[in-house]
Amino acid sequence: MSLALDAQTDIVTTQRIVSDVELKKQQERFGIAVSTDSTNKLDISVTNFGQNPVEISSFWIINKTLSTQPATRYSVNYDDSFVTGGIPSSILSSQSLFMVPDSYDIKVISSLGTIEIAELVVGPGGSSVNDLRSVLVTDPPDVILGQNVTIGMVVTNTGQLKINDVTPSTISVNPPGVVVGSSGPNLSSVDLIPGESFLFLWDYTIDGTADTSIDFSNFATGLDVNNNLIQSNIASDKTVLRDSANSTSSEELIVLTQDLLAKPELFIVMPAPFGESGQQGVWGINVVNPIEKDLEVSKIVITATSTRYTGGDEIFTDNNGNACEAEHVDLSLGGTWSCPMPNQLMWKSLSSPVSVPGLSNVPFLALVEPGFIGSSGDFLETVPVDVSVYTTLGQFGKSGYGTSYNEGSTTLPNVYLTDVPGSSSNANILSSIQGISSGSVIKLNATLTDFDDNLSHVIQATDSRLIINIPKGWTSPSIINAPGFTMDPIETFADGSSQIVGVLNSDIASTADTQTIEFQVTAPTVTSTQLYVMYVLADGISSGDVAIGPLAEIVLQVIP
C-alpha cells in the first residue's frame, strides 16, 4: 500500500511538473533579430513578449548558400541566457562569432523548447541585410520593343530600430545592351522607421530582339543608429521583350492581334436615343478578323429588347407594321438589310458571303427608320442591344450595349467618322479606316449629327459634348479645327491613351447643323499589321430632358 501511494504521488507530481512546463511554454513568446556589424560580428537580440522570463539555451547556424556545410549548434552563456520582458537583450554579449558572407538561417531555442527562426544574409564588406528587405517588380512583365518598363522596388525596415539614408543602388540589367533610355529613381534616399516601407520607381526604355528575357536586379543600403552599413538582399525580376504582334501583356490595349482566339470581333455603331419616325439613324457592325486567315460573313443580326413587360414595342419596323425601312450606307457591299421579326435588324447574303481578309475589318452599316411603341408617348429609358454574326469560323455574339427609345418626341443622334467635315451623306460616313501607315500622322473627322430634321427636337448645347477616346500607342493628338465646339484641354492618361472632348457651342437641330472635330494624331510604329479601336461617343441632353449616348467603335488598321 505504501509503495502504491508513493508511486501515485510521483505520478501526480510529474503530471504537475509537465503541466506547469506546458503552461509556461504556451505563455512563452519571444522574437529575435539577427545582424552583423562592419566586421561581420554576429549579434542575436531576443525580445521577450511574454509575462515570464525566457531562458535561451542554444542556437543553430545553418548555411543556406553552401548546403554541404554542417548545421552548427552553439550554447548560450548562462549570464546571457535569461531575457526578461521589455527591451531587446543580446544573447551573444560574452561571445564573439564572425560570419562569412553568405545566406544563413539562425534558429534560437529556449530551455522550454520554443524555436524562433530568422534569416541572415551577410554581404561583402561587413554589411548585413536582416533589417532591410527589398522586393523588385517589373511592369509590364512583357514589354513591347521600344517602349517603357517600370521597375518598382519596395524596401522595408524589418528591424526594431530606425534605419537612416536608405538608398537604392544602380539597377543591374542583363543583357545591358537593351537599355536605350532610363529615368529615376523617384527619390534618392529615405529614412525608415521600424515596419515602414518605401517604393522606389524607375522607367527604362527597352529595345532589342523579340523574345529576349531581361533580368533586373538591385539592392538598397542604409545606416543603423550607430552609422553601420546595412545592405538589403539583392532583389530581382525579369521582363520579356515582345514585338507588338506577339505581346501578351495584360496592360496592352492594342486590342486585336493574331494572339487572340480565332474568332471575329464585333464593334457597334448605333444612335441613342432612337425613335423619330420618318427619319433614319445609322446602325451597324464592324466585323474584325484578328487572324491572318480570311473569313466570310453570311449573316448579321442586331437584336433590340423592349424592357416593358406588356410588350407590343417594335424597335426595328415602321409605323405601319410593314417590313422595316433599312438601306445600305455602302451600296457596294451587297446583301440585304431587313427586319425578319420585330426588334431584329438583319443583314444577310447566304449565296455570296462577304470576305473579311486577315487582320482587317469590314463595316456593315445601314440607315434604319425607327419602329413604334405599343403605347404612344411612352419612353423606354433603356433598350438592351445584342449582336450576332455568322461566319465561316462559326457563329459568335456580343452583348452589353444599350440605347433608348422615345417615339416622335426627341432627337436621333449619331456619331461617326467622315471624310468630309460636317457631312451626313451616306457616301461620307465611316466606321473604320484601313491601311494607315506605321508611324504616320493622320487627320480624322469625328462627327456628331441629329438625323431627326424636326427643328423643335434639338441636341442642346448646354452640357452636350462630343468625346473621342484615342487608344494607347497613338501619340501627339492635336486639334485642327472645331468651330462648333469649345474644346477642353486634351487629356493623356497613365496608360498612354488620350481623350479629346468638345462642348457644343450651339444646338444641333438637324443634319444641317452637323458638327465635326477635325484632329490629327500619330499612328503607332508597328512591325506587323495591327488593329486598334477608337471610341467616339456623345454625352448630353436632347429635347424633353432625354439623355443622349450614341456610340461608334471605330476600327483603325495600321500596316508596316
Side-chain angles (χ1 to χ4, degrees), residues 28 35 67 160 165-166 177 180 185 193 221 284 315 322 354 367 404 461 479 517 527 546 557:
E28 185 174 74
S35 63
S67 58
Q160 301 183 26
D165 197 25
V166 176
V180 296
I193 62 174
T221 59
I315 309 301
N322 300 320
V354 172
L367 289 168
S404 58
I479 307 301
I517 296 177
T527 57
V546 176
Q557 182 199 53

Side-chain angles (χ1 to χ4, degrees), residues 256-339:
L256 301 172
T257 73
Q258 59 187 354
D259 287 330
L260 296 181
L261 294 175
K263 67 181 183 69
E265 293 287 339
L266 309 176
F267 298 95
I268 199 167
V269 176
M270 66 179 186
F274 181 59
E276 176 62 26
S277 60
Q279 312 294 325
Q280 290 180 316
V282 178
W283 286 83
I285 296 297
N286 284 310
V287 178
V288 180
N289 183 1
I291 62 174
E292 293 183 350
K293 179 182 177 181
D294 294 355
L295 63 85
E296 293 183 338
V297 178
S298 58
K299 185 170 72 171
I300 294 173
V301 179
I302 301 174
T303 302
T305 304
S306 172
T307 52
R308 189 166 51 172
Y309 70 92
T310 57
D313 303 324
E314 298 185 6
I315 309 301
F316 296 123
T317 188
D318 68 15
N319 282 314
N320 298 317
N322 300 320
C324 66
E325 300 291 338
E327 63 183 64
H328 281 288
V329 170
D330 181 2
L331 297 177
S332 66
L333 183 63
T336 303
W337 285 99
S338 64
C339 298

Side-chain angles (χ1 to χ4, degrees), residues 192-204:
L192 298 179
I193 62 174
E196 185 179 11
S197 300
F198 185 79
L199 175 62
F200 293 98
L201 293 172
W202 297 260
D203 282 323
Y204 277 73

Side-chain angles (χ1 to χ4, degrees), residues 115 162 277 292 337 340 342 436 454 472 487 496 499 536:
I115 300 175
K162 183 179 180 181
S277 60
E292 293 183 350
W337 285 99
I436 301 169
N454 186 331
K472 178 180 178 180
M487 301 305 300
Q499 185 179 75
V536 179

Side-chain angles (χ1 to χ4, degrees), residues 113-389:
T114 303
I115 300 175
E116 292 292 334
I117 304 175
E119 183 185 25
L120 173 66
V121 180
V122 181
S127 55
S128 65
V129 302
N130 56 290
D131 289 344
L132 209 55
R133 296 291 181 203
S134 61
V135 176
L136 196 72
V137 177
T138 61
D139 183 37
D142 289 6
V143 61
I144 291 181
L145 298 175
Q147 295 193 3
N148 286 354
V149 58
T150 299
I151 313 297
M153 185 169 73
V154 180
V155 182
T156 304
N157 180 359
T158 60
Q160 301 183 26
L161 298 174
K162 183 179 180 181
I163 300 177
N164 299 312
D165 197 25
V166 176
T167 305
S169 183
T170 301
I171 292 181
S172 174
V173 184
N174 184 33
V178 298
V179 177
V180 296
S182 63
S183 63
N186 52 331
L187 200 62
S188 59
S189 65
V190 294
D191 296 337
L192 298 179
I193 62 174
E196 185 179 11
S197 300
F198 185 79
L199 175 62
F200 293 98
L201 293 172
W202 297 260
D203 282 323
Y204 277 73
T205 303
I206 306 298
D207 207 350
T209 305
D211 297 326
T212 299
S213 179
I214 305 170
D215 295 316
F216 297 91
S217 59
N218 201 11
F219 61 89
T221 59
L223 299 175
D224 64 16
V225 292
N226 298 316
N227 284 330
N228 294 319
L229 179 67
I230 298 176
Q231 178 181 308
S232 76
N233 58 296
I234 298 176
S236 62
D237 198 9
K238 69 178 181 179
T239 189
V240 178
L241 277 176
R242 305 289 190 191
D243 62 29
S244 55
N246 295 316
S247 174
T248 58
S249 168
S250 61
E251 295 293 325
E252 281 307 312
L253 296 183
I254 298 177
V255 295
L256 301 172
T257 73
Q258 59 187 354
D259 287 330
L260 296 181
L261 294 175
K263 67 181 183 69
E265 293 287 339
L266 309 176
F267 298 95
I268 199 167
V269 176
M270 66 179 186
F274 181 59
E276 176 62 26
S277 60
Q279 312 294 325
Q280 290 180 316
V282 178
W283 286 83
I285 296 297
N286 284 310
V287 178
V288 180
N289 183 1
I291 62 174
E292 293 183 350
K293 179 182 177 181
D294 294 355
L295 63 85
E296 293 183 338
V297 178
S298 58
K299 185 170 72 171
I300 294 173
V301 179
I302 301 174
T303 302
T305 304
S306 172
T307 52
R308 189 166 51 172
Y309 70 92
T310 57
D313 303 324
E314 298 185 6
I315 309 301
F316 296 123
T317 188
D318 68 15
N319 282 314
N320 298 317
N322 300 320
C324 66
E325 300 291 338
E327 63 183 64
H328 281 288
V329 170
D330 181 2
L331 297 177
S332 66
L333 183 63
T336 303
W337 285 99
S338 64
C339 298
M341 293 289 291
N343 300 323
Q344 287 188 338
L345 174 65
M346 180 179 71
W347 173 90
K348 184 168 68 172
S349 182
L350 300 181
S351 60
S352 300
V354 172
S355 176
V356 182
L359 301 177
S360 68
N361 162 78
V362 171
F364 295 78
L365 300 179
L367 289 168
V368 185
E369 182 180 338
F372 63 90
I373 295 180
S375 297
S376 179
D378 286 356
F379 181 31
L380 301 181
E381 292 283 0
T382 300
V383 177
V385 176
D386 301 322
V387 182
S388 298
V389 62

